[in-house]
Amino acid sequence: MPDVDGFDEFYRGSRQRLLGFVYALTGDRGEAQDAVQEAYIRAWQRWSTVSGYDDPEAWLRVVASRIAVSRWRSLRSRARAYLRHGATETVPGPGTDTVEVVAALRRLPEEQRVAIALYYLMGMPVAEVARETAAPVGTVKARLSRGRAALAGLLAVSDLEEATDA
């Protein structure tokens, strides 16, 4: 069990200095806070060893600065990849039809919803859906049939409501 009191005292005595140091390295308060937090987590995990060092704060500074530099390198690599490959294609939001179908699917019992999603959205054959859901093939067929009927009713009701609102 780590020395909780010793770690707490160490933390209270060093946190501002360490945060200021890493902030000076990164120039970003949020990144500095994240790096310092990660460094303290690592110190806590190894506190029985770290507390025996001549200068535990020096160890923590090295760890925090390495974390900050590692994050900076990662961001730099992502920026280079972005410049090399361009922006990712924007994916349009779901259309109203999709939203209505998803809302209707949510109103189905879970077994029917899962069967419909696996069969229609994932393109699995009935036998594979049966294996994945641990249900007999006949049960899967019944769930699909009942689910389709329920969806038709739910979607027809919303269409009817729209027609009467117009």
Side-chain angles (χ1 to χ4, degrees):
M1 178 81 181
D3 174 19
V4 176
D5 293 332
F7 182 81
D8 287 347
E9 183 181 325
F10 171 70
Y11 174 78
R12 282 190 299 274
S14 62
R15 68 179 177 217
Q16 291 302 334
R17 283 189 303 274
L18 185 63
L19 182 58
F21 169 72
V22 178
Y23 177 66
L25 290 178
T26 63
D28 183 312
R29 184 176 179 194
E31 282 295 318
Q33 288 172 331
D34 288 348
V36 167
Q37 180 180 14
E38 179 66 28
Y40 275 112
I41 289 169
R42 292 180 187 181
W44 170 251
Q45 292 169 337
R46 298 162 181 80
W47 187 241
S48 59
T49 303
V50 173
S51 63
Y53 293 161
D54 290 336
D55 189 358
E57 193 172 336
W59 180 89
L60 198 61
R61 275 193 306 274
V62 169
V63 171
S65 62
R66 286 181 181 169
I67 291 168
V69 168
S70 176
R71 288 179 183 210
W72 178 77
R73 285 180 181 153
S74 175
L75 288 171
R76 188 179 65 180
S77 295
R78 276 189 250 147
R80 272 196 238 130
Y82 176 79
L83 291 173
R84 194 171 38 249
H85 300 292
T88 57
E89 294 180 26
T90 57
V91 178
T96 56
D97 291 345
T98 303
V99 172
E100 289 174 9
V101 169
V102 170
L105 278 168
R106 287 184 182 149
R107 295 177 61 188
L108 295 180
E110 182 180 358
E111 296 85 10
Q112 291 175 9
R113 188 172 55 242
V114 168
I116 286 174
L118 291 173
Y119 184 76
Y120 289 105
L121 300 178
M122 299 300 296
M124 292 179 156
V126 172
E128 214 172 303
V129 173
R131 256 192 317 279
E132 182 136 340
T133 59
V137 171
T139 302
V140 170
K141 289 180 180 179
R143 288 175 182 167
L144 288 170
S145 176
R146 289 185 188 119
R148 281 191 302 267
L151 276 177
L154 290 169
L155 293 172
V157 167
S158 65
D159 289 343
L160 209 112
E161 288 172 357
E162 288 176 11
T164 58
D165 290 343

